[in-house]
Amino acid sequence: MTDQPPMPTPFPGRWRALGVIAVAQLLTALDATIVNIALPTAQHDLGFGDGQRQWVITAYTLTFAGLLLIGGRIADRLGRRTALLGGLGGFALASAVAGLAPSFEVLVAGRAVQGAFAAVLAPTALSSIAVMFTDGRERGRAFATYGAVASSGAIVGLVVGGALTELVSWRWCLLVNVLFALGALVAGTRLLPRTEPHADVPLPLASAALATAGLAGLVYGAAHAATHAWTDPQVWGPIVAGLAVLGSFVVRQARSAAPMLPLTLFRDRSRAVSYVAIASGVVASFGLSLMLTYYFQAVLGWSPLHTGLAFLPLSAAVSVSGYAVSGVLARTLPARWLVATGVTLAAGGIGLLATLDLGSSYATTVLPAMVLLGLGMGGVFTPAIQIVTSGVSPRDAGVAAAVANVAMQVGSSLGVAVLNSIAVSATRGYTGSPDPRAALVHGYATSAGWVAAALAVVVVLVVAGLSGRATSQHSPSPSGSARLEQEPTEGATR
């Protein structure tokens, strides 16, 4: 009988160390939403315009998306412990800068640096769990804990953001990160296992810079459409430049022997369509949550805390739908119909928001719209991420899941920028009721109409592009990109 290799000795303090990792993940998830509720107050305090407000969100998601694929390589090069502690310290410093920002420009800069350190924290946290927990059953429990924190972060962010804005100050939506990050940093110096750095691990800095700059060009151009026509050079110029830079990134990846982003992932039609579905789902949820935040506070006159609580049905619907799909339906129904049904429900919910006017009520219009959107998004993400992580080689499994996370961040960045521009332009061109609130609602409804139309196109794309294969039950969860630390990057040696 062949001898089996001995099981690696588990790290003795792994469960206490998991607490530090959970806080790190909570910070990255929390900051995707906690500032949303505070935006109207921050805008009034710092005096920036409607056309600029989306940068407070997209500055974070943009750097997060552009640097996420290199984040795992940084952890390999520095060592996971050093990368995680450095990420926590950097996140705390960036949060302090943003929270104390005297101007809009400093606030956006702080948010961008937050996103950069989040791009290091997210893959480092996941890889640390994979290494510390060697027993299969324990690892499953650890990842379940991590997933619960990741999925609840957005919900916590909305409620906590509303409470802090109303009871203390909008600045504490950012400053609270300093307390959590520094606490985790101090605990991490005692609890996290020491790991060896690998100075020979290359960092694809050029590729990361191209990806981030290209995405920034697209978002910058889309954001300028709020104050200029789409045919204005200040709009299409940055967009064309961004596309050119992204084209250079693609060429670089195609020519690399060990690319940061293996383009072979997109040769599978079902996987490529699933990435589109994931990105479109985030466009809908992030873009419209920003619009509804302003609708609740600027039109209905609700407090920040009331606004945060109003979003709870959306979060609950996402959780219920995700559990039902992953626990029951994914075992019996083809992924094509699960994803298509999810996008259809989301389109129906957004379509309801496209009917908003001053006479609409939360109970009859907004609530059913949020429930439909939540049920739809919960039905999209689980099977779509299972598709993108199935059928790939072990060396590409982690990066395939990481690209799904990138799709989420890109969807939120572009979605918020484009939808904000559409809403501001529609509000400016409104000629109906003299009530200024009517113009605002018209802008929000117009944005919702464009999203509903886009999601209808995605439904057709999903039905035509996805195969009928069933989803796998052994794929990584939607909350992260496990095994990212095992993946090759540009210039890596094996």
Side-chain angles (χ1 to χ4, degrees):
M1 183 175 66
T2 304
D3 292 335
Q4 296 293 324
M7 178 72 71
T9 303
F11 175 61
R14 57 194 177 280
W15 289 107
R16 288 180 297 171
L18 180 63
V20 176
I21 293 171
V23 171
Q25 171 57 28
L26 178 63
L27 288 172
T28 63
L30 197 70
D31 264 64
T33 59
I34 193 171
V35 180
N36 284 29
I37 306 299
L39 259 182
T41 307
Q43 182 177 351
H44 179 269
D45 191 8
L46 296 181
F48 54 89
D50 289 346
Q52 297 173 298
R53 63 192 177 196
Q54 83 280 347
W55 282 109
V56 181
I57 297 174
T58 56
Y60 177 81
T61 56
L62 188 61
T63 52
F64 197 166
L67 300 176
L68 182 61
L69 291 176
I70 199 178
R73 291 290 93 190
I74 292 174
D76 286 343
R77 188 181 181 106
L78 300 180
R80 282 178 295 275
R81 184 178 188 273
T82 300
L84 195 61
L85 294 178
L88 287 168
F91 199 92
L93 179 60
S95 298
V97 170
L100 299 173
S103 66
F104 169 74
E105 291 76 14
V106 176
L107 173 60
V108 170
R111 289 284 287 166
V113 178
Q114 275 188 313
F117 281 105
V120 176
L121 287 175
T124 305
L126 270 170
S127 64
S128 297
I129 294 176
V131 172
M132 286 193 305
F133 292 87
T134 56
D135 176 75
R137 181 173 297 180
E138 282 196 348
R139 181 180 291 185
R141 289 167 55 196
F143 274 120
T145 301
Y146 177 91
V149 171
S151 60
S152 64
I155 303 173
V156 173
L158 291 170
V159 178
V160 171
L164 289 174
T165 301
E166 182 170 342
L167 302 178
V168 190
S169 166
W170 68 266
R171 296 182 181 276
W172 274 97
C173 293
L174 295 156
L175 294 176
V176 71
N177 294 325
V178 180
L179 303 179
F180 282 109
L182 290 182
L185 176 60
V186 172
T189 58
R190 300 179 56 189
L191 301 178
L192 292 174
R194 297 191 177 276
T195 54
E196 292 294 327
H198 300 281
D200 58 333
V201 173
L203 297 178
L205 297 177
S207 291
L210 287 173
T212 306
L215 292 173
L218 298 182
V219 173
Y220 184 81
H224 265 64
T227 53
H228 301 78
W230 285 94
T231 55
D232 192 292
Q234 295 189 59
V235 175
W236 61 258
I239 292 176
V240 170
L243 291 174
V245 173
L246 289 177
S248 299
F249 169 77
V250 171
V251 170
R252 188 178 182 88
Q253 301 310 294
R255 292 178 176 177
S256 174
M260 184 175 80
L261 175 61
L263 300 182
T264 53
L265 290 175
F266 302 97
R267 292 178 182 172
D268 184 292
R269 186 178 64 184
S270 292
R271 185 176 298 113
V273 170
S274 295
Y275 284 134
V276 172
I278 291 169
S280 66
V282 177
V283 168
S285 56
F286 265 73
L288 269 298
S289 67
L290 176 63
M291 297 299 105
L292 284 176
T293 293
Y294 277 85
Y295 171 72
F296 291 149
Q297 296 187 48
V299 176
L300 299 185
W302 290 359
S303 69
L305 180 57
H306 191 178
T307 298
L309 294 174
F311 278 107
L312 287 180
L314 172 62
S315 301
V318 171
S319 300
V320 170
S321 178
Y323 177 80
V325 169
S326 61
V328 180
L329 298 178
R331 293 196 293 266
T332 57
L333 296 177
R336 175 200 303 171
W337 300 115
L338 290 176
V339 178
T341 300
V343 178
T344 301
L345 287 174
I350 299 298
L352 276 178
L353 292 179
T355 67
L356 271 179
D357 56 36
L358 282 181
S360 301
S361 72
Y362 177 83
T364 60
T365 303
V366 179
L367 178 60
M370 288 199 297
V371 170
L372 284 175
L373 175 61
L375 292 176
M377 290 304 93
V380 168
F381 291 138
T382 299
I385 293 180
Q386 288 174 347
I387 290 171
V388 303
T389 54
S390 65
V392 296
S393 64
R395 63 175 286 173
D396 290 334
V399 75
V403 174
N405 205 335
V406 172
M408 294 180 187
Q409 304 304 327
V410 171
S412 61
S413 300
L414 288 175
V416 167
V418 172
L419 295 183
N420 184 69
S421 292
I422 292 173
V424 172
S425 298
T427 296
R428 189 172 58 245
Y430 181 70
T431 57
S433 169
D435 189 333
R437 296 179 304 157
L440 291 175
V441 175
H442 173 71
Y444 307 149
T446 302
S447 264
W450 278 95
V451 174
L455 290 180
V457 174
V458 174
V459 172
V460 176
L461 185 63
V462 167
V463 173
L466 285 188
S467 68
R469 65 192 182 204
T471 56
S472 167
Q473 294 302 302
H474 304 288
S475 303
S477 70
S479 59
S481 50
R483 299 193 305 278
L484 184 62
E485 82 288 353
Q486 300 172 358
E487 305 312 315
T489 57
E490 184 175 330
T493 56
R494 286 191 170 271

